[in-house]
Amino acid sequence: MAKGYWVSAYRTISDPEKLAAYNKLAGSAVRAAGGRTIVRGGRTVAHDSGIVERTVLVEFDTFEQAVAAHESAPYQEALAALSDGVERDFRIVEGID
């Protein structure tokens, strides 16, 4: 089965306190759902039309697990805490078998 990944690129962070609250709740929600954060911020080099922005990559054992984690009550609570604190591009993608 192909792994599933959450890919988030943070365009702007307007409320660091909301982001901190989200990170605390989201981290435990991700771990409870079997996810592993493998990239969170750190150094970035952008090429082509890329933009240097905070990027987060979370790995799940399956695509379905990644989708279910996003829909879970604990993660929805984290999203409520984040609210309008950031502008980000969030997607769930399927890995290659």
Side-chain angles (χ1 to χ4, degrees):
M1 292 193 91
K3 292 186 178 188
Y5 297 90
W6 288 5
V7 182
S8 300
Y10 287 74
R11 309 255 189 250
T12 61
I13 299 171
S14 57
D15 191 329
E17 290 180 12
K18 286 183 179 179
L19 179 58
Y22 163 83
N23 284 339
K24 183 176 180 179
L25 293 169
S28 48
V30 164
R31 286 187 297 279
R36 296 164 299 283
T37 302
I38 55 178
V39 173
R40 185 176 55 231
R43 298 184 326 164
T44 302
V45 175
H47 295 279
D48 301 325
S49 295
I51 301 169
V52 175
E53 47 194 9
R54 176 183 170 83
T55 302
V56 178
L57 179 63
V58 180
E59 180 182 65
F60 292 87
D61 289 337
T62 67
F63 179 78
E64 292 75 17
Q65 186 180 16
V67 171
H70 184 271
E71 295 171 358
S72 72
Y75 187 70
Q76 292 302 307
E77 181 183 351
L79 284 177
L82 181 59
S83 178
D84 61 352
V86 303
E87 177 188 354
R88 69 180 181 161
D89 175 358
F90 178 95
R91 59 191 67 209
I92 301 173
V93 298
E94 185 175 36
I96 299 171
D97 274 335

